[in-house]
């Protein structure tokens, strides 16, 4: 291992948070050896390409759309499921691109998002206490002693499931499925069947006319049919991420080849912790989730640690403050980071800070809260003359009933109809598209001042 990458033993010695409790350490070592010998899932050049795009977003010349499942499952690695998630994201991206008049960087929570941090190590049902479900990378969702056992062999399943997912995503995004006209027709169907704002109908009509004009002019190049799509996940399991860290033969520098962008969660962003120690050694673009407990000075220190050379596109900060807190808590963090001289990409996660339990016992989120945090995020950046670089959303392509509200007007009593998530509630396809139109409204207002932002000397 390159000396710039910390050894796995040194990382474990830092007592990383949110790690599995494996019983058979010999089996762990065997699995990790197997993982180290397997081919890369992504390539260094792809990671560098994403870093360049994120640098553009940080400068106000692009916008990031990052989304996908809260927690991928092995059962969800099907063509229909992957196609559904991809179609939602690409459809959202068309609306955002037109509104912002800048490229949209498309990143999935996909092909690696199989582990989740938990607030409790155990779960109790009917007087029986078992280990908490930590994602298919660690244990099973079924509430049995055998399923909930932490099994290191699952890490190999993560790799294989991720490889299969990326193979299909690449086929879809380069093989014609991502055709701009087909994706926009889906948006048009949404507008026709949903009770949406007249402004959304107007925007859809404008896009239709723009597409028709380009086609009439004979514009029909490859960009109509293919897109660049990147994979990301939370770098939670230290042993898995370390095993997929390789030295690039071209640059002799370390990359994690399990995903293009990796992020550190709000629970594991300790400055001297193992997760920061590992990710600061990588050449991938990296992200950090920050919640309402984030102190401005701590985040400034973290930014300097993860991005010591102020490299464009290196760092994305994903805020998850909550709808009622974002306007108060985010500004001092932005100001502290800007004072370091680094231009990071600011992304809003409007999901994690807005979770509550419904009266009938379901973990859910209200679309109005999600929308309000997005609006607060844009308001903060407008007030500070900084660029709102993107959104990070948990969503699915299916007609699930996990979040209340939206154009379908889902209520708490509707949650039981199709509540399918194994972890956190996701926006369904109509709620996701509605959010895209809402963000498009805000982007169209930001676009009027974007030129001034890009031209400012920071």
């Amino acid at each position: 291992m390159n000396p710039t990458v910390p050894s796995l033993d040194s990382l474990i010695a830092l007592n990383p948070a949110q790690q599995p409790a494996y019983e058979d350490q010999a089996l762990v070592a065997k699995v990790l050896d197997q993982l180290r010998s397997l081919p890369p899932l992504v390539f260094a050049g792809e990671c560098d390409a994403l870093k360049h795009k994120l640098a553009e977003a940080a400068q106000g010349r692009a916008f990031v759309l990052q989304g996908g499942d809260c927690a991928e499952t092995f059962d969800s690695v099907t063509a229909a499921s992957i196609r559904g998630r991809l179609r939602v994201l690409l459809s959202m991206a068309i609306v955002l691109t037109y509104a912002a008049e800048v490229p949209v960087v498309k990143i999935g929570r996909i092909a690696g998002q199989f582990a989740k941090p938990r607030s409790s190590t155990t779960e109790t049902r009917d007087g029986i206490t078992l280990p908490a479900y930590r994602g298919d990378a660690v244990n099973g969702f079924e509430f049995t002693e055998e399923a909930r056992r932490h099994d290191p062999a699952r890490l190999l399943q993560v790799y294989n499931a991720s490889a299969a997912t990326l193979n299909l995503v690449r086929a879809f995004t380069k093989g014609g499925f991502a055709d701009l006209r087909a994706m926009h027709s889906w948006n048009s169907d949404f507008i026709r069947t949903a009770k949406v704002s007249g402004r959304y109908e107007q925007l859809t009509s404008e896009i239709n006319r723009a597409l028709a004009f380009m086609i009439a002019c004979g514009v029909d190049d490859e960009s109509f049919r293919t897109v660049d799509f990147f994979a990301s996940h939370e770098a939670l399991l230290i042993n898995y991420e370390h095993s997929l860290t390789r030295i690039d033969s071209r640059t002799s520098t370390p990359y994690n080849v399990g995903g293009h962008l990796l992020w550190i969660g709000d629970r594991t962003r300790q400055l001297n912790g193992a997760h920061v120690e590992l990710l600061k050694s990588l050449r991938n673009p990296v992200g950090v989730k920050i919640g309402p407990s984030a102190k401005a000075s701590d985040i400034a220190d973290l930014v300097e640690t993860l991005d010591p050379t102020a490299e464009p596109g290196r760092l994305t900060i994903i805020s998850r403050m909550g709808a009622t807190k974002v306007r108060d808590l985010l500004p001092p963090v932005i100001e502290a980071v800007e004072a370091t001289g680094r231009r990071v990409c600011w992304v809003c996660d409007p999901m994690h800070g807005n979770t509550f339990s419904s009266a009938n016992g379901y973990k859910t989120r209200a679309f109005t809260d999600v929308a309000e945090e997005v609006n607060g995020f844009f308001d903060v950046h407008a007030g500070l003359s900084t660029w709102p670089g993107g959104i990070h959303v948990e969503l699915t392509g299916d007609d699930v009933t996990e979040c209340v509200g939206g154009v379908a007007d889902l209520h708490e009593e509707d949650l039981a109809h199709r509540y399918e998530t194994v972890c956190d509630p996701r926006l369904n396809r109509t709620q996701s598209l509605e959010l895209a139109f809402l963000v498009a409204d805000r982007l169209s207002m930001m676009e009027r001042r974007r030129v001034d932002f890009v031209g400012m000397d920071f």
Side-chain angles (χ1 to χ4, degrees):
M1 185 65 72
N2 188 293
T4 61
V5 179
S7 69
L8 181 57
D9 287 342
S10 69
L11 294 173
I12 298 301
L14 293 174
N15 193 27
Q18 299 286 336
Q19 300 305 293
Y22 295 127
E23 297 174 358
D24 188 342
Q25 292 303 313
L27 179 57
V28 173
K30 181 179 179 181
V31 167
L32 295 181
D33 281 344
Q34 287 181 268
L35 286 170
R36 292 185 186 105
S37 69
L38 292 172
L41 296 175
V42 303
F43 300 99
E46 296 172 336
C47 298
D48 292 342
L50 175 57
K51 191 184 297 182
H52 173 74
K53 291 177 183 289
L54 291 171
E56 291 293 286
Q59 294 285 348
R61 294 190 287 262
F63 188 80
V64 173
L65 173 62
Q66 186 175 8
D69 264 325
C70 165
E72 293 177 283
T73 64
F74 297 146
D75 288 342
S76 70
V77 183
T78 66
S81 176
I82 296 166
R83 181 174 59 243
R85 281 174 278 162
L86 187 60
R87 183 167 63 171
V88 169
L89 285 166
L90 296 180
S91 298
M92 293 173 72
I94 292 171
V95 177
L96 298 177
T97 302
Y98 185 83
E101 299 183 19
V102 295
V104 170
V105 185
K106 304 163 210 45
I107 307 174
R109 287 174 58 105
I110 201 167
Q113 188 60 19
F114 291 94
K116 291 291 293 182
R118 304 312 300 260
S119 56
S120 175
T121 59
T122 60
E123 179 183 357
T124 301
R125 299 184 192 176
D126 301 323
I128 299 174
T129 299
L130 294 175
Y133 173 65
R134 290 184 170 273
D136 278 12
V138 178
N139 55 1
F141 184 69
E142 185 181 358
F143 195 73
T144 66
E145 186 174 354
E146 177 59 24
R148 292 297 177 93
R149 180 176 60 85
H150 294 184
D151 181 5
R154 285 175 168 268
L155 297 178
L156 290 170
Q157 289 181 270
V158 170
Y159 175 90
N160 291 328
S162 299
T165 299
L166 282 170
N167 183 57
L168 189 57
V169 165
R170 286 176 171 129
F172 278 144
T173 56
K174 302 300 181 184
F177 173 79
D179 187 279
L180 188 64
R181 292 152 293 192
M183 288 297 105
H184 185 60
S185 70
W186 207 51
N187 288 344
S188 300
D189 289 341
F190 162 71
I191 292 296
R192 282 195 297 269
T193 58
K195 298 176 182 178
V196 296
S197 163
R199 167 67 187 127
Y200 299 166
E201 294 183 77
Q202 179 185 344
L203 181 59
T204 301
S205 296
E206 290 174 7
I207 298 173
N208 282 334
R209 288 195 296 272
L211 286 172
F213 176 76
M214 287 188 286
I215 292 169
C217 291
V219 178
D220 190 24
D221 61 20
E222 194 69 11
S223 62
F224 262 69
R225 294 180 293 276
T226 66
V227 298
D228 293 328
F229 192 85
F230 301 94
S232 69
H233 64 268
E234 180 178 358
L236 185 64
L237 304 183
I238 289 293
N239 50 16
Y240 179 79
E241 304 301 344
H242 192 273
S243 70
L244 290 179
T245 297
R246 313 284 170 77
I247 304 304
D248 176 46
S249 59
R250 176 176 56 92
T251 62
S252 299
T253 55
Y255 286 79
N256 182 294
V257 297
H260 300 109
L261 180 146
L262 307 177
W263 76 82
I264 302 169
D266 193 43
R267 292 184 176 97
T268 54
R269 57 174 172 78
Q270 296 80 14
L271 185 63
N272 297 312
H275 295 84
V276 172
E277 187 68 18
L278 176 59
L279 263 64
K280 75 179 186 182
S281 71
L282 303 178
R283 298 300 305 136
N284 304 63
V286 299
V288 180
K289 285 274 192 89
I290 60 169
S293 66
K295 294 181 180 179
S297 59
D298 291 344
I299 302 306
D301 290 342
L302 188 57
V303 165
E304 291 178 330
T305 298
L306 289 170
D307 184 22
T309 61
E311 179 185 8
R314 162 66 173 172
L315 191 55
T316 297
I317 296 184
I318 308 162
S319 64
R320 36 157 296 183
M321 300 298 187
T324 62
K325 300 175 181 178
V326 61
R327 289 177 175 84
D328 295 326
L329 299 182
L330 186 57
V333 176
I334 294 176
E335 290 171 332
V337 171
E338 292 282 311
T340 69
R342 287 157 178 80
R343 182 70 67 80
V344 306
C345 182
W346 294 101
V347 171
C348 174
D349 171 0
M351 308 294 291
H352 284 89
N354 298 302
T355 306
F356 65 95
S357 294
S358 66
N360 51 355
Y362 287 92
K363 188 178 182 182
T364 189
R365 291 156 176 159
F367 184 84
T368 52
D369 292 338
V370 172
E372 179 59 16
E373 179 152 5
V374 169
N375 279 321
F377 175 76
F378 274 86
D379 289 344
V380 166
H381 283 283
L384 295 175
S385 295
T386 50
W387 179 251
I391 58 170
H392 179 123
V393 189
E394 290 182 341
L395 55 79
T396 176
D398 299 326
D399 292 322
V400 299
T401 54
E402 296 170 3
C403 295
V404 296
V407 291
D409 196 25
L410 294 178
H411 297 276
E412 290 189 6
E413 55 267 29
D414 299 317
L415 295 175
H417 178 60
R418 281 194 67 179
Y419 194 95
E420 299 177 1
T421 182
V422 296
C423 194
D424 290 336
R426 304 159 295 175
L427 298 180
N428 60 31
R429 66 183 185 94
T430 58
Q431 290 168 330
S432 299
L433 289 174
E434 184 179 4
L435 182 64
F437 279 97
L438 182 150
V439 174
D441 265 347
R442 296 305 307 255
L443 281 171
S444 63
M445 289 186 283
M446 293 296 295
E447 169 57 21
R448 290 194 286 270
R449 56 179 287 277
R450 183 180 63 83
V451 174
D452 293 335
F453 171 83
V454 173
M456 292 176 70
D457 181 11
F458 281 84

